[in-house]
Each structure stands twice: as structure tokens, then as C-alpha cells.
Amino acid sequence: VSDPAKTAGIVVIGDEILSGKFADENAKFLIGELRELGVALRRVAIIPDVPADIADTVRSFSERFDLVFTSGGVGPTHDDLTIEGIALAFGAGVVVEPVLEKVLRDYWGEAMPEANLRLAQTPRGAELVYGGSGRAAVWPVVKYRNIYILPGVPKLFRAKFDGIKERFRGDALFEARIYLAGDEGELAPELAAVDAEYPTVQIGSYPRFEETRFKVIVTLESDDQAALNGASAALRQRLKDKIVDLG
Amino acid sequence: VSDPAKTAGIVVIGDEILSGKFADENAKFLIGELRELGVALRRVAIIPDVPADIADTVRSFSERFDLVFTSGGVGPTHDDLTIEGIALAFGAGVVVEPVLEKVLRDYWGEAMPEANLRLAQTPRGAELVYGGSGRAAVWPVVKYRNIYILPGVPKLFRAKFDGIKERFRGDALFEARIYLAGDEGELAPELAAVDAEYPTVQIGSYPRFEETRFKVIVTLESDDQAALNGASAALRQRLKDKIVDLG
């Protein structure tokens, strides 16, 4: 059996997502990435641009999970409050990070608007994490404790995460699916029995009323291949009359 | 000025969403619906199928927001733990609701699997909310305190929400957008000034690096039409050299 997977939480900071002005793209993207990397995502929160809310949420996530990713609220305008919120969470000050300031001034030259200095702010004690190529290699990700602070603009969010993602790679989970013709109520005792017998296998049951060929999708997931195979075989035996082969 | 908008929170209960096995459809749908209804969504949480997590989250949301909507974790199988979690949150017992039991038995007849009785369970003291047509009119939504308990299957989630949604309708928000050619750093002082001058208007600034015609979308939103018009005019005056007419 492999080491337990790293756990993670995602905090999307954005009034614009909650109000429906823009659809979330970053949590959706990151859920898929974390699955592929073998990181166990435990919670997603979409919260407003309010420092106290940001502080409460990132502190709680930072304590509970190995990795925290924030999306949004970093930029030069009045509604960019993520750095302030994270600093507040841990009683840290906000400082202008000298390396980031130099990158900014090199890029903008004399014409840099004063407000852009906010892009060099970090909670005191943050680290800079480099990775990727192009601008991602020049412009690092700010990490504070176990919190990776990423921008809300989807294109930048993806580029910055792509640059650093290999550091998070763990063992991929093993998975299996069984498609069944029975109603969930009929399957429930068999699922519960196998779930109890194989505690290291997560078994989920999802009815799909719009399908004609099957009525329920059962998923099995584990970091233990032998346990997964055992649970899958046990379920197939118990439910053999109801299995649909989608070929 | 109209009454303040009702506030809301969404709790999506589902290991299958966190693990990336299925994409969230219900929070996405509900964000759009709440916007159209004039309800102010304050927070979304996606959490695992764990009663203690469900309990903590729904209790916190129930205290903080006028309306709470849960998605998922209601059904006959071992991974359906939402009713148990909500009951735990408030120290209520779980009971078989007689009206729901009758609907179930009428539908299934003698062939009803025993596990399906779980579909009639509610936290003790829950209300039944009827609305819509067809099966939605027969099969009510379970409401406990200010929490509306909805199923995770997207087709059913939509049908049940559609059936009850008019009870949530408030005053629509007024909104405006301005597209700008400047960088966010240049706009920041002007945005901050107007934001401070119009506290009832929410002003957001969103850079879009993939666009060629403009660089920043500024959004204004308020339940006060006069304030919105004032803030919009003030911003247009201050930023007139940078406005892009997408006409």
C-alpha cells in the first residue's frame, strides 16, 4: 500500500463568481488536475472579497489540509484583498517583497502605476516558488505556509499552476465503475456490505434517470489496487444479475 | 431603495465532485437561478459525504444566511448521509416522515426495497414544501429550519428547485459594465475613489489578457438604481480616455 495521498482544499475568492457575473473556471480546472496528480481534494469554498471571510477560511483550510490553493483577489485594485486576508489569518504583516518588486519594475519601467506595487505585496514570511517556462518562470507563485496564492484570471491561473504542479504529484488512485440495471434501493444492502468489508475502498452510488441502458453508476476508488480488485469482484458477484456491460 | 436582498449559501455534498468523477452541475445552475431571482449568494461549499462535515457546514450556513440549499447525499445507499448530517447539526433525531412514506409506498407498491424507506427520512421537525407540476407536485422538497434539502442528480435538482423557486424571488439587482483599454494599475485609484464615494454599489475589476479590444472589465452592481447610475457616470467621467465602446 502506498503512502496516504496528500489532502488539499481550494478557496475561490470572488464576488464575481458568487453573483454569477462570471462562471468559475479555476476550481473546475484544479479539481481535474488534482485528480490526475493523485492529490485528495477535501473541500472547495467560494467566498466573497471580504478580508475576514478570507482569513477564517484559509486559516481553517491551512490547519486541516496538506495543501491549500487560493484563486483570485490578487491584483492592484480595491477589490483585491486576498493578501490582506491571508496576513490577517495568521497575524502576519503585509510587506512589499523585494524580488517581486524588481520583477515588476523591470517589466514596467518608469511608467509603472503606483498601484501596481500591490502586485509585489505578500504576507510577511512568504516564499516564492518558481516553475514552468516563459513568464511563469520569471514571475513566481507566492506561497505562504502551505497556501499557494494564485490569480483569478483563468489563463494566468492555469499557467501558474502548470508551472508548479509536479511538486504535488503523488500516487494515482485506482478506480473502477460498474453500471447497473437495478434501482438504488435494491442495490443498497449489497453496496453497504461490500463498503463495510473493504474500508480502504470508497464506494459511491449515483442514479442516472436520463439513461436507458442502466439506472445506477457505482464507482470504486482506492490507493490499494488489491483491495479495489477484491471489492470490485465482491460487488460483481453480489450484483451479477443486474450488471450492464456497456461493451 | 428596496429591501435588502435575501442572502443564501449553497452546500454541495459529494465525494464524487471533489474527486473529479463527476463535474458539479447543481451549484453552477443555482448560482444563475439565484442571480435571476435577486437572491444574494454569499458562499458555496463543496464538502465530502461525512456527517460531521455536513453538520458543521449546514449549521454555520443556517446561522449566517437567510436561505441554505443543499445538493446531494439523499438517497437509499450507504453514502447518502445528508439527513443524518443535518439532524446531527441541530441535535434533532431522524424520523420517517409519514407523508413521504405514503408517497413512496404508493409509487412502489409491494415491491419497494426496504432501503427505499431512507428516502422518507427527515430530521425531526422538517416541513414539506410543495410546488411545480408532475412528479415535483407529488414529491415535496424537504425543508428543515431555513435549509432546503435537494437531491444531487442534476435533472431532479433542477426540477425540484424550479417547483419552489418563486418563493425566493426578490428585487433584481441593477448592473452595468464598462470595458476599458487601460491596465488595472492605472485604473485602480479611480476605481477606489468611486468605490468609496458609492458604498451601496459593488464595483469589481477583472483583467482579461486574452482580449484584444479591451484589457479590463469593470462591473457595477446595486439594488439602488440611482446610486448605480451615479457611480457609473462618475467612473465614465474619470476614465473617459480609456473607455472602449463595444457597440
Side-chain angles (χ1 to χ4, degrees):
Chain A
V1 180
S2 54
D3 290 336
K6 283 204 187 80
T7 60
I10 300 173
V11 184
V12 175
I13 296 143
D15 287 345
E16 74 279 16
I17 308 294
L18 291 170
S19 69
K21 281 200 286 277
F22 298 102
D24 163 67
E25 296 183 40
N26 296 342
K28 188 177 171 182
F29 165 77
L30 196 48
I31 288 171
E33 293 288 304
L34 294 176
R35 176 177 181 78
E36 194 273 322
L37 289 164
V39 174
L41 178 62
R42 288 282 190 259
R43 204 169 173 108
V44 177
I46 309 178
I47 66 172
D49 302 330
V50 174
D53 278 341
I54 299 169
D56 287 348
T57 307
V58 297
R59 187 173 49 233
S60 157
F61 278 42
S62 176
E63 287 166 1
R64 293 170 65 183
F65 310 124
D66 297 321
L67 304 169
V68 181
F69 300 95
T70 69
S71 164
V74 290
T77 58
H78 66 285
D79 54 344
D80 292 313
L81 299 165
T82 296
I83 298 295
E84 181 182 336
I86 295 174
L88 180 65
F90 299 97
V94 172
V95 296
V96 173
E97 216 293 328
V99 172
L100 292 181
E101 181 178 357
K102 181 166 187 316
V103 174
L104 277 175
R105 293 201 183 278
D106 287 350
Y107 179 78
W108 285 89
E110 293 294 317
M112 187 171 89
E114 189 60 21
N116 277 5
L117 254 195
R118 280 173 63 88
L119 293 168
Q121 289 181 342
T122 69
R124 184 185 298 277
E127 296 168 54
L128 303 180
V129 180
Y130 291 85
S133 59
R135 286 185 66 181
V138 178
W139 191 256
V141 173
V142 177
K143 178 191 179 194
Y144 181 73
R145 300 192 177 207
N146 57 345
I147 305 159
Y148 293 83
I149 303 167
L150 295 164
V153 178
K155 185 180 171 180
L156 298 186
F157 184 94
R158 289 169 187 243
K160 295 193 102 168
F161 184 78
D162 281 343
I164 62 171
K165 73 179 183 182
E166 287 306 325
R167 61 170 48 217
F168 308 121
R169 189 175 293 280
D171 296 318
L173 290 176
F174 302 102
E175 55 183 280
R177 287 187 180 208
I178 303 175
Y179 297 87
L180 294 158
D183 285 301
E184 263 200 316
E186 303 173 85
L187 312 173
E190 313 299 341
L191 296 177
V194 176
D195 186 65
E197 192 183 344
Y198 291 90
T200 63
V201 180
Q202 286 73 51
I203 300 176
S205 170
Y206 308 101
R208 283 295 176 267
F209 301 101
E210 69 280 21
E211 292 287 343
T212 52
R213 292 177 300 170
F214 59 87
K215 294 173 88 171
V216 177
I217 306 170
V218 169
T219 65
L220 301 92
E221 207 163 62
S222 181
D223 56 9
D224 179 346
Q225 173 92 69
L228 184 89
N229 291 348
S232 186
L235 265 185
R236 288 181 167 277
Q237 176 60 30
R238 284 171 177 268
L239 298 169
K240 58 177 182 283
D241 297 341
K242 299 191 167 60
I243 290 178
V244 176
D245 181 359
L246 293 181
Chain B
V1 180
S2 54
D3 290 334
K6 284 203 187 79
T7 61
I10 300 173
V11 184
V12 176
I13 295 142
D15 287 346
E16 74 279 14
I17 308 294
L18 292 170
S19 70
K21 279 200 289 277
F22 298 103
D24 164 67
E25 297 182 41
N26 295 342
K28 187 177 173 184
F29 165 77
L30 197 47
I31 288 171
E33 292 288 303
L34 295 176
R35 177 177 180 82
E36 194 272 323
L37 289 165
V39 174
L41 178 62
R42 290 283 190 260
R43 201 168 176 108
V44 177
I46 309 178
I47 66 173
D49 302 330
V50 174
D53 279 341
I54 298 168
D56 287 350
T57 306
V58 296
R59 188 173 47 234
S60 157
F61 278 42
S62 175
E63 286 166 1
R64 294 170 66 183
F65 310 125
D66 297 322
L67 303 168
V68 181
F69 300 95
T70 70
S71 165
V74 289
T77 58
H78 66 285
D79 55 343
D80 291 311
L81 298 165
T82 297
I83 298 296
E84 181 183 336
I86 295 174
L88 180 65
F90 299 97
V94 173
V95 296
V96 174
E97 218 292 329
V99 173
L100 292 181
E101 182 179 355
K102 181 166 188 320
V103 173
L104 276 175
R105 294 203 182 275
D106 287 349
Y107 180 77
W108 285 90
E110 292 294 317
M112 186 171 90
E114 189 60 24
N116 277 5
L117 253 195
R118 281 173 63 88
L119 294 167
Q121 289 180 340
T122 69
R124 185 186 296 278
E127 295 168 55
L128 303 180
V129 180
Y130 291 84
S133 58
R135 284 185 66 181
V138 177
W139 191 256
V141 172
V142 176
K143 177 191 179 194
Y144 181 72
R145 298 191 178 209
N146 57 345
I147 305 159
Y148 293 83
I149 303 168
L150 295 164
V153 177
K155 185 179 169 181
L156 298 187
F157 184 95
R158 289 170 187 241
K160 295 191 102 167
F161 185 77
D162 281 344
I164 63 170
K165 73 179 185 183
E166 286 307 324
R167 63 169 47 215
F168 308 121
R169 188 175 294 282
D171 297 319
L173 290 176
F174 302 103
E175 54 183 282
R177 286 185 181 210
I178 303 175
Y179 297 86
L180 295 158
D183 286 300
E184 263 200 317
E186 304 173 86
L187 313 173
E190 313 300 342
L191 295 178
V194 176
D195 186 66
E197 193 181 344
Y198 291 90
T200 62
V201 180
Q202 285 74 52
I203 300 176
S205 170
Y206 308 100
R208 282 294 175 268
F209 300 102
E210 70 280 20
E211 292 287 344
T212 52
R213 293 176 300 171
F214 59 88
K215 294 173 87 170
V216 177
I217 305 170
V218 170
T219 64
L220 302 93
E221 205 163 65
S222 181
D223 57 9
D224 178 345
Q225 173 93 68
L228 184 90
N229 292 347
S232 185
L235 264 185
R236 289 182 165 277
Q237 175 61 29
R238 282 171 179 268
L239 298 170
K240 59 178 180 282
D241 299 341
K242 299 192 168 59
I243 290 177
V244 176
D245 181 0
L246 294 180

